[in-house]
């Protein structure tokens, strides 16, 4: 298996060597490429399908999911030599309803071998209180339409949002909605539900070269939202930072790196 | 050949830059420096990030009074924030918006916002720029969505034109929309009451009774309603009866039980015009407010210690003293502010559709 891979790689190098004049094996200063982080969304072992599929949480509660959104920010990649490359000022909004948003593209990643990724679920406090000129792209409160990700009454972003239905919900419409936000407060201390995830590539490396643009697949298990004791039968609505702590404490467990593809891709620019 | 291409490209780019620079310089903008009263602290709002211009302010004023900001075209910011009431909502214990639905809290007056650290009774919003979103998206206020408002504005040629003049943009984004509302609200500085003219030695006089009232005020009230802005910007529980079922005040933001029933200390400037009083509008007159402070203060775990004497809730104020305090509070009325034409509804209103024009003003159908 391994030797087969090596042979394949060797073949790749060969074609490469013959097709262009630069060797990918060696890293020249300034070499860079994109890295893609892709979220493969599941509930337990089943693929996440919005609305139509019924899942069970650890307490045996049946539920469906109609919305799953979360912000990813402050991504940092760790190299095999232990140093880190950070990507400040890049904010991504992952929305299950928008397939394209499941793939995050990190641009201009320096060529190196990477062994793990760290990121924040949410929008850090600095950005959460920044002025209007910084509220661009997914941070623009006008960009959410009906799928709001900003609390206007308690200024700040909704870091993570999961909504769905369950026969066990105490809500008359049998829905549940968990909205998590809270960056720790500006003028006074308020709840902080920012959570940092570190996902190790499990011995794999994501190889960035001038002509290799890897894709890191992160498997998410939305069922982990309930892993810190949250129950739909007792809590069907969460719309404030403090109430949201159990949700955040649950979803920290939902991200695992599954595999890495080191695909050949020219850096486009 | 290749080199020529490059030259061509850079030529094109510089030509484009030159044209856009010309376009920008072609926009006539007049910068406006807000006057900072000498008896005020320095502004909190970062004006450098949003320099005020006559054009931006005028545009903000138009937006403030335009019901295009509400879902059914019935309500504008000005419906709840009325100039004659110092931009509070007169006679409404709970402000109401579209479909005549009632909100949960008494509208706050709008003035001296440049000097505020936090906004709303519970301080949930920390920037003036973001405060309009609250009303805009609240279903009992304007019941709109920011993206939809932007769409409506972008569909209007007049607004596109105005935004171009004020901000040099061809598309109306949340940034310039919110900045223009801020620009108008930033100009709402109220500092020309009789008290101000007295304290700044500008020829204002206070009667003996009013001066005694000021002294009493400084003894009993100004540790919270600090002179200058007449608020220290802190959150406190002043013992307004509250069962916390519908409103927990600051606790809703901090989720700290020690903040239960605490509200931002409101300014007492223009207090003559902003009845009813308190976050829930539960007190109808200043006489009753003073009665509250002597005999209505409700004991609770979070009651401010300044409002307890010998472990008994309430302040000791005699009836004649109350009269003097009220006489002093009346000197905080700024009539120039509530009649200043620069802050009034623009006469020449834009040609935007207003389907429910008849409902526009519903101050009296309570």
């Amino acid at each position: 298996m391994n030797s087969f891979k090596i042979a394949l790689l060797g073949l790749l190098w060969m074609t490469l060597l013959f097709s262009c004049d630069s060797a990918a094996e060696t890293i020249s200063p300034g070499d860079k490429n994109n890295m893609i982080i892709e979220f493969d969304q599941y509930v337990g072992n089943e693929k996440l399908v919005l609305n139509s599929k019924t899942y069970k949480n650890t307490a045996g509660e049946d539920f469906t999911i109609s919305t799953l959104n979360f912000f990813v920010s402050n991504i940092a990649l760790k190299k095999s030599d232990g140093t880190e490359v950070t990507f400040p000022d890049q904010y991504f909004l992952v929305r299950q309803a928008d397939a394209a948003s499941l793939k995050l593209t990190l641009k201009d990643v320096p060529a190196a071998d990477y062994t793990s990724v760290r990121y924040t679920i949410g929008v850090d406090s600095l950005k959460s209180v920044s002025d209007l000129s910084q509220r661009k792209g997914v941070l623009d409160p006008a960009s959410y339409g009906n799928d709001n990700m900003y609390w206007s009454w308690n200024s700040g972003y909704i870091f993570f949002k999961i909504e769905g239905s369950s026969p066990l919900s105490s809500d008359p419409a049998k829905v549940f909605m968990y909205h998590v936000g809270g960056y720790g407060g500006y003028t006074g201390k308020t709840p902080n539900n920012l959570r940092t995830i570190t996902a190790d590539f499990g011995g794999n490396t994501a190889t960035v070269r001038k002509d290799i643009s890897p894709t890191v697949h992160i498997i998410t298990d939305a069922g982990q939202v309930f892993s810190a004791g949250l129950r739909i039968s007792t809590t069907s609505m969460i719309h404030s930072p403090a109430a949201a702590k159990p949700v955040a404490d649950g979803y920290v467990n939902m991200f695992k790196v599954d595999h890495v593809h080191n695909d050949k891709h020219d850096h486009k620019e | 050949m290749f080199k020529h291409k490059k030259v061509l490209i850079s030529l094109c780019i510089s030509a484009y830059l030159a044209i856009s620079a010309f376009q920008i310089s072609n926009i006539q903008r007049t910068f406006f420096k807000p006057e900072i009263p000498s008896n005020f602290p320095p502004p909190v709002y970062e004006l450098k990030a949003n320099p005020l211009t006559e054009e931006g302010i005028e545009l903000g004023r138009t937006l403030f009074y335009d019901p295009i900001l509400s879902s059914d075209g019935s309500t504008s910011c000005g419906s709840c924030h009325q100039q004659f009431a110092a931009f509070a909502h007169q006679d409404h214990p709970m402000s109401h918006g579209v479909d005549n639905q009632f909100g949960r809290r008494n509208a706050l007056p709008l003035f001296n916002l440049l000097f505020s650290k936090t906004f709303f009774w519970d301080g949930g919003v920390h920037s003036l720029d973001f405060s309009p979103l609250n009303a805009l998206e609240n279903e009992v206020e304007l019941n709109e969505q920011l993206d939809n408002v932007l769409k409506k504005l972008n569909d209007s040629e007049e607004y596109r034109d105005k935004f171009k003049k004020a901000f040099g943009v061809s598309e109306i984004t949340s940034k310039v929309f919110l900045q223009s509302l801020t620009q108008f609200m930033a100009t709402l500085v109220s500092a020309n009451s009789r008290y101000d003219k007295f304290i700044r030695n500008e020829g204002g006089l206070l009667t003996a009774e009013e001066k005694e009232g000021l002294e009493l005020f400084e003894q009993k009230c100004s540790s919270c309603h600090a002179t200058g802005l007449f608020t220290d910007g802190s959150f406190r529980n002043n013992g307004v009866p509250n069962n916390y079922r519908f409103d927990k005040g600051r606790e809703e933001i901090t989720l700290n039980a020690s903040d239960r029933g605490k509200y931002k200390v409101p300014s007492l400037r223009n207090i003559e015009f902003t009845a009813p009083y308190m976050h829930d509008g539960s007190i109808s007159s200043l006489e009753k407010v003073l009665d509250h402070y002597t005999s209505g203060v409700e004991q609770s775990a979070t009651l401010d210690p300044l409002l307890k004497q010998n472990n008994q809730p309430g302040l000791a104020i005699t009836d004649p003293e109350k009269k003097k305090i009220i006489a002093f509070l009346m000197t905080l009325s700024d009539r120039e502010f509530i009649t200043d034409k620069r802050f009034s509804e623009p006469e020449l209103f834009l040609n935007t559709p207003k389907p429910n024009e008849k409902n526009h003003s519903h101050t009296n159908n309570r």
Side-chain angles (χ1 to χ4, degrees):
Chain A
M1 178 62 200
N2 249 339
S3 54
F4 174 72
K5 259 192 185 164
I6 289 166
L8 204 75
L9 262 164
L11 209 73
L12 273 173
W13 293 153
M14 295 292 277
T15 27
L16 206 83
L17 276 167
F18 285 112
S19 51
C20 4
D21 7 67
S22 67
E25 183 82 18
T26 52
I27 299 174
S28 313
D31 281 1
K32 53 194 176 185
N33 210 327
N34 294 345
M35 184 188 292
I36 293 166
I37 295 178
E38 185 165 352
F39 290 97
D40 299 331
Q41 314 235 67
Y42 285 79
V43 183
N45 295 320
E46 296 173 80
K47 269 225 169 274
L48 169 57
V49 181
L50 292 182
N51 301 312
S52 55
K53 226 162 147 178
T54 302
Y55 308 96
K56 245 188 211 341
N57 66 17
T58 40
E61 296 176 320
D62 280 340
F63 65 98
T64 65
I65 296 177
S66 56
T67 308
L68 177 66
N69 300 345
F70 51 89
F71 278 100
V72 176
S73 65
N74 291 288
I75 299 175
L77 292 170
K78 195 167 182 180
K79 290 187 194 170
S80 50
D81 67 5
T83 59
E84 257 191 2
V85 179
T86 58
F87 299 84
D89 215 24
Q90 296 197 35
Y91 295 81
F92 300 92
L93 175 57
V94 173
R95 295 174 59 236
Q96 178 63 17
D98 172 13
S101 74
L102 301 176
K103 280 190 190 182
L104 322 185
T105 302
L106 294 175
K107 294 211 178 82
D108 296 336
V109 180
D113 296 336
Y114 294 95
T115 56
S116 71
V117 61
R118 185 161 50 82
Y119 51 92
T120 298
I121 298 297
V123 177
D124 53 275
S125 58
L126 218 63
K127 207 59 158 189
S128 289
V129 302
S130 65
D131 73 35
L132 277 170
S133 63
Q134 309 222 16
R135 311 302 180 107
K136 288 190 216 123
V138 296
L139 298 180
D140 183 345
S143 67
Y144 310 124
N146 285 320
D147 193 5
N148 191 26
M149 295 300 282
Y150 187 82
W151 277 326
S152 57
W153 55 274
N154 183 1
S155 283
Y157 293 92
I158 299 172
F159 301 161
F160 183 101
K161 168 160 134 180
I162 186 168
E163 296 180 355
S165 62
S166 170
L168 291 147
S169 165
S170 55
D171 180 86
K174 296 290 165 208
V175 294
F176 71 92
M177 294 180 182
Y178 303 144
H179 295 186
V180 181
Y183 56 83
Y186 187 51
T187 47
K189 202 166 148 23
T190 58
N192 188 336
N193 288 317
L194 285 163
R195 292 288 183 277
T196 301
I197 313 289
T198 305
D200 197 86
F201 299 167
N204 288 325
T205 56
T207 312
V208 177
R209 293 293 183 275
K210 199 172 169 188
D211 55 356
I212 301 177
S213 158
T215 302
V216 173
H217 282 263
I218 297 180
I219 299 269
T220 69
D221 171 8
Q224 297 295 329
V225 162
F226 301 99
S227 65
L230 184 68
R231 295 295 168 259
I232 300 171
S233 52
T234 47
T235 311
S236 51
M237 294 291 161
I238 292 180
H239 288 284
S240 76
K245 188 174 179 292
V247 192
D249 289 345
Y251 66 60
V252 286
N253 302 318
M254 79 180 247
F255 303 90
K256 292 208 168 51
V257 170
D258 188 60
H259 58 285
V260 179
H261 291 292
N262 290 314
D263 294 336
K264 204 170 150 284
H265 266 303
D266 280 330
H267 180 63
K268 287 186 204 87
E269 223 168 358
Chain B
M1 195 54 210
F2 187 57
K3 258 196 179 150
H4 281 131
K5 223 179 186 172
K6 260 195 178 162
V7 171
L8 203 72
I9 290 174
S10 55
L11 256 173
C12 286
I13 291 176
S14 34
Y16 173 77
L17 285 178
I19 290 171
S20 36
F22 172 69
Q23 281 180 340
I24 287 171
S25 65
N26 214 9
I27 293 165
Q28 292 291 320
R29 274 183 286 182
T30 318
F31 288 94
F32 177 91
K33 208 164 170 287
E35 212 177 296
I36 308 302
S38 60
N39 53 330
F40 275 29
V44 173
Y45 185 80
E46 192 60 72
L47 282 164
K48 264 184 273 162
N50 182 16
L52 308 189
T53 63
E54 303 273 0
E55 292 76 13
I57 294 163
E58 179 55 25
L59 172 56
R61 173 167 81 133
T62 310
L63 290 167
F64 188 88
Y65 285 105
D66 194 339
I68 193 174
L69 299 192
S70 62
S71 61
D72 63 358
S74 71
T75 314
S76 72
C77 310
S79 315
C80 293
H81 298 289
Q82 302 161 321
Q83 187 181 11
F84 62 84
F87 294 96
H89 199 181
Q90 201 163 55
D91 278 343
H92 282 275
M94 305 284 164
S95 292
H96 64 185
V98 297
D99 294 335
N100 270 331
Q101 295 188 75
F102 283 84
R104 195 167 62 123
R105 290 185 190 148
N106 191 9
L108 280 159
L110 305 182
F111 51 76
N112 304 340
L113 295 164
L114 278 181
F115 307 91
S116 275
K117 286 193 284 284
T118 59
F119 299 87
F120 299 95
W121 283 105
D122 56 18
V125 177
H126 46 68
S127 162
L128 182 53
D129 290 335
F130 291 91
S131 53
L133 290 180
N134 201 347
L136 207 66
E137 297 189 344
N138 188 324
E139 54 190 47
V140 298
E141 294 184 4
L142 299 173
N143 191 26
E144 251 298 4
Q145 255 169 229
L146 182 56
D147 55 337
N148 200 41
V149 169
L150 296 181
K151 194 181 162 302
K152 286 192 278 186
L153 295 176
N154 275 306
D155 284 346
S156 149
E157 209 182 306
E158 290 101 318
Y159 269 122
R160 280 203 313 274
D161 194 49
K162 277 182 181 270
F163 273 96
K164 182 158 220 155
K165 288 203 176 103
F167 295 97
V169 294
S170 46
E171 199 205 336
I172 305 167
T173 58
S174 25
K175 177 176 167 232
V176 288
F177 167 68
L178 294 171
Q179 282 184 332
S180 62
L181 278 170
T182 293
Q183 292 207 12
F184 171 64
M185 292 194 284
T187 62
L188 302 176
V189 174
S190 174
N192 284 325
S193 66
R194 204 146 50 78
Y195 161 80
D196 290 297
K197 294 185 175 171
F198 165 76
I199 214 79
R200 293 198 302 254
N201 284 321
E202 291 171 1
L205 292 179
L206 296 194
T207 64
E209 189 193 23
E210 289 161 353
K211 275 188 199 152
E212 284 170 46
L214 168 57
E215 249 163 57
L216 288 163
F217 184 85
E218 282 174 339
Q219 287 163 24
K220 316 219 177 243
C221 319
S222 71
S223 36
C224 300
H225 300 284
T227 50
L229 297 172
F230 287 86
T231 167
D232 64 354
S234 64
F235 298 91
R236 311 219 191 201
N237 181 343
N238 75 338
V240 170
N242 187 342
N243 63 14
Y244 310 123
R245 283 235 320 277
F246 304 109
D247 198 336
K248 296 188 176 66
R250 181 72 178 156
E251 185 191 359
E252 292 180 11
I253 303 301
T254 63
L255 293 130
N256 191 335
S258 68
D259 285 330
R260 184 158 299 170
K262 291 188 183 173
Y263 295 89
K264 190 171 66 176
V265 175
S267 172
L268 300 184
R269 290 180 167 278
N270 298 306
I271 197 73
E272 179 183 358
F273 312 126
T274 62
Y277 302 114
M278 308 300 167
H279 72 275
D280 55 358
S282 59
I283 303 187
S284 59
S285 69
L286 288 175
E287 286 73 18
K288 288 184 186 155
V289 169
L290 269 298
D291 292 344
H292 162 76
Y293 279 113
T294 53
S295 53
V297 173
E298 196 173 71
Q299 175 67 283
S300 70
T302 57
L303 175 65
D304 200 283
L306 289 169
L307 293 174
K308 266 184 260 184
Q309 285 180 339
N310 310 323
N311 250 337
Q312 286 299 306
L315 297 172
I317 312 173
T318 64
D319 283 349
E321 287 174 338
K322 287 182 186 175
K323 273 206 148 112
K324 288 173 189 167
I325 293 176
I326 292 172
F328 164 69
L329 291 176
M330 293 295 167
T331 71
L332 297 175
S333 300
D334 182 352
R335 292 201 156 66
E336 288 172 32
F337 176 70
I338 64 161
T339 54
D340 193 328
K341 282 271 171 294
R342 293 174 303 163
F343 308 146
S344 312
E345 185 156 358
E347 278 165 32
L348 240 171
F349 219 67
L350 287 163
N351 258 339
T352 40
K354 293 175 215 161
N356 283 348
E357 184 71 270
K358 58 182 191 306
N359 288 339
H360 179 197
S361 155
H362 47 206
T363 30
N364 294 320
N365 42 355
R366 188 145 58 107

